[in-house]
Amino acid sequence: MSLSALLLFAGVVLLGAASPGPAVVALVARAIGHGGRGLAGFVAGLILGDIFWLTVATFGLAVIATFFEPVFLAIRIAGAAYLAWIGIRLWSSQGGALEGAPRLDRRGGSFVAGLVLTFGNPKVMAFYLALLPTLIDLRRLTALGYAEMVLVMIPILAAVLGTYVLLALRARRYLASPRAARLVNRAAGTA
């Protein structure tokens, strides 16, 4: 893969990851609500989900996605239901200690939640399935080119999501009052 194509891909991934979507809202709500516990697994699940959609787009598995549409529809519905559940929990929270975000402390729960969220995230799906073919000539992409894209994508996503986590953890100190927590929970729940 040419350096210019890889840099273009990296720039678009950076812009896409930096623009807040459902995954960022869930990540920030979790960080503000419960601190850093479980966030590494959640971020790893988000990143693996992105790699999944990149793989689907790269290897022309969109045809398979169409063939197995009921399975993908179920995954999207599960992701949407998870987001709705987070929103309801945030809205119904009394704002005590930023308690509205769901706990993900069980072993593997954070990772699975991040993965399911990315599987059902329409922003991620649209990015890889619709935008990627306009950026990269997928007919000429080799296995090495795919590996280069993954190796560029992982640190970009980790850096962007890590920045959101750090900002949310820092903001958490300033949002400790029940009133501030209730406002943040309702804004995140609405988003």
Side-chain angles (χ1 to χ4, degrees):
M1 168 175 257
S2 72
L3 181 59
S4 61
L6 199 55
L7 289 175
L8 176 64
F9 173 74
V12 173
V13 167
L14 177 64
L15 290 174
S19 66
V24 169
V25 170
L27 180 65
V28 168
R30 172 68 179 92
I32 289 175
H34 298 290
R37 187 175 174 122
L39 290 180
F42 192 74
V43 168
L46 294 174
I47 291 171
L48 186 61
D50 269 58
I51 292 170
F52 168 79
W53 286 116
L54 172 70
T55 305
V56 166
T58 301
F59 294 107
L61 297 178
V63 174
I64 294 174
T66 302
F67 183 70
F68 290 107
E69 185 156 348
V71 173
F72 283 94
L73 178 62
I75 290 170
R76 286 195 302 269
I77 289 170
Y82 178 70
L83 286 173
W85 179 69
I86 290 173
I88 291 166
R89 292 271 318 258
L90 289 167
W91 257 97
S92 63
S93 169
Q94 296 304 310
L98 294 165
E99 65 203 22
R103 288 199 174 271
L104 298 171
D105 298 339
R106 290 181 305 241
R107 181 176 225 166
S110 297
F111 175 78
V112 171
L115 192 60
V116 168
L117 183 61
T118 305
F119 283 170
N121 187 343
K123 177 187 164 205
V124 177
M125 282 185 259
F127 175 81
Y128 290 110
L129 294 177
L131 186 60
L132 184 67
T134 66
L135 298 172
I136 306 292
D137 183 1
L138 296 175
R139 292 169 298 173
R140 301 176 79 197
L141 186 65
T142 64
L144 178 61
Y146 167 77
E148 291 169 340
M149 289 172 34
V150 170
L151 291 174
V152 162
M153 186 177 74
I154 290 171
I156 290 171
L157 293 175
V160 169
L161 296 173
T163 300
Y164 274 113
V165 166
L166 292 176
L167 291 173
L169 291 175
R170 184 165 248 214
R172 185 174 198 257
R173 287 185 277 157
Y174 301 107
L175 300 171
S177 77
R179 178 170 153 57
R182 191 169 35 259
L183 291 173
V184 168
N185 284 341
R186 290 200 173 152
T190 300

